[in-house]
Amino acid sequence: MKNSAFGIRLALVLAVLAFIWINSMLSGDISQYESDKVLEVVEPVVEPVQQQLEDMGYHVCKRNLVRKMAHFAEYTVLGAATLLLFTAPDGRSRYLMPMLLCFGAACVDEGIQIFAVNRGPQFKDVLLDFSGACCGILGMALIVLILYALRRRRV
């Protein structure tokens, strides 16, 4: 049972990494087209965020905002999945390995963009991705702690 659970968690991490890295291989034009399709759906959510940023003096185009929010969300999922991968059966989590794995994944992600047409790496994107991963790690750690506390109360 333990090996199959680990295999499922590993498959989840690999699937999220594949999704992230395959999207990084897309050309700038295709990536922009995909972002525009997403923007059509999420514009009601993005509009107030953009307005608030502009009120604070930051001028961001909606498309770029959607792209950055998507990166953050992808890495939040990756962070949560990697924490699960490194959570012991007794609920104890190891935080260093998920953080290192996510930081390395963000660096590889930006490195892939060197080879994509009309795209390029940016260190600030590594930081954004890693921030999303840390949020996912912390959020999943909280969920794991709550679930194990509830489980202990029942036993």
Side-chain angles (χ1 to χ4, degrees), residues 78-152:
L78 180 64
T82 56
L83 183 74
L84 285 178
L85 183 64
F86 290 99
T87 297
D90 64 359
R92 287 183 293 147
S93 298
R94 290 154 184 81
Y95 301 97
L96 182 60
M97 286 306 295
M99 291 176 76
L100 290 174
L101 186 107
C102 289
F103 184 77
C107 291
V108 169
D109 186 20
E110 291 303 307
I112 288 170
Q113 292 181 29
I114 293 171
F115 305 103
V117 177
N118 295 329
R119 295 194 63 183
Q122 294 183 344
F123 184 68
K124 67 181 180 181
D125 284 350
V126 171
L127 296 178
L128 176 73
D129 295 344
F130 186 61
S131 297
C134 288
C135 285
I137 289 167
L138 291 173
M140 186 55 71
L142 181 60
I143 291 169
V144 167
L145 285 172
I146 291 169
L147 290 176
Y148 277 95
L150 291 172
R151 186 172 157 199
R152 273 190 260 150

Side-chain angles (χ1 to χ4, degrees), residues 58-88:
Y58 298 102
H59 300 287
V60 181
C61 90
K62 285 184 221 172
R63 180 186 297 141
N64 286 342
L65 189 56
V66 166
R67 294 169 73 90
K68 300 307 177 189
M69 290 167 73
H71 266 262
F72 190 88
E74 290 170 344
Y75 276 87
T76 299
V77 173
L78 180 64
T82 56
L83 183 74
L84 285 178
L85 183 64
F86 290 99
T87 297

Side-chain angles (χ1 to χ4, degrees), residues 4 6 11 26-27 29 34 37 41 47 52 62 77 98 105 108 111 118 127 129 131 133 146 150:
S4 66
F6 178 81
L26 299 175
S27 72
D29 295 337
E34 294 293 324
K37 286 192 333 189
V41 175
E47 188 84 33
Q52 235 176 353
K62 285 184 221 172
V77 173
V108 169
N118 295 329
L127 296 178
D129 295 344
S131 297
I146 291 169
L150 291 172

Side-chain angles (χ1 to χ4, degrees), residues 3-75:
N3 287 340
S4 66
F6 178 81
I8 291 168
R9 293 182 300 200
L10 179 60
L12 176 62
V13 169
L14 294 175
V16 174
L17 281 172
F19 177 81
I20 291 170
W21 290 344
I22 287 170
N23 280 309
S24 287
M25 291 179 202
L26 299 175
S27 72
D29 295 337
I30 294 172
S31 179
Q32 188 171 339
Y33 173 76
E34 294 293 324
S35 296
D36 289 344
K37 286 192 333 189
V38 171
L39 180 57
E40 289 175 13
V41 175
V42 299
E43 191 160 14
V45 175
V46 173
E47 188 84 33
V49 173
Q50 181 193 30
Q51 186 59 50
Q52 235 176 353
L53 286 170
E54 291 202 2
D55 291 347
M56 295 184 328
Y58 298 102
H59 300 287
V60 181
C61 90
K62 285 184 221 172
R63 180 186 297 141
N64 286 342
L65 189 56
V66 166
R67 294 169 73 90
K68 300 307 177 189
M69 290 167 73
H71 266 262
F72 190 88
E74 290 170 344
Y75 276 87

